[in-house]
Amino acid sequence: MNAFEAHYGNVHIPLVEALSGLERWNSARVTDAADGGEHTLHRITELHFSDPASIQSALRSPQGRATGSDFRQIAPPGSRMFIATPGA
């Protein structure tokens, strides 16, 4: 995973940080499963935007397309992006 982490930190995160409308982000490496079972995730990253329109605008922008393209290059097959709405 060292090559992944190097790319993630040196290439992917700068792409993420340049997304328009991004208020903040955080990321954590998954190290264990609370129930003791197998954990299939390596890293979880949250991007925070003010509203759904800001998310869509960022994802559709040239910077968003570049970030998405890089995500598809480094994420294993089957990886997905989710959108969560607080309080929903």
Side-chain angles (χ1 to χ4, degrees):
M1 288 293 171
N2 289 337
F4 170 85
E5 290 295 334
H7 181 97
Y8 185 80
N10 296 321
V11 176
H12 194 72
I13 288 303
L15 290 169
V16 167
E17 289 177 330
L19 289 169
S20 62
L22 181 67
E23 294 182 338
R24 69 184 189 283
W25 67 274
N26 61 341
S27 184
R29 195 169 59 82
V30 176
T31 58
D32 207 353
D35 65 2
E38 178 184 8
H39 62 88
T40 58
L41 301 174
H42 175 71
R43 180 169 286 283
I44 296 173
T45 302
E46 295 180 341
L47 308 182
H48 295 260
F49 294 86
S50 62
D51 56 50
S54 296
I55 297 167
Q56 293 306 317
S57 178
L59 293 177
R60 290 184 178 125
S61 72
Q63 188 66 34
R65 289 192 300 275
T67 305
S69 177
D70 189 63
F71 171 82
R72 287 185 294 281
Q73 289 180 13
I74 63 172
S79 295
R80 299 168 64 200
M81 288 187 244
F82 295 93
I83 296 175
T85 304

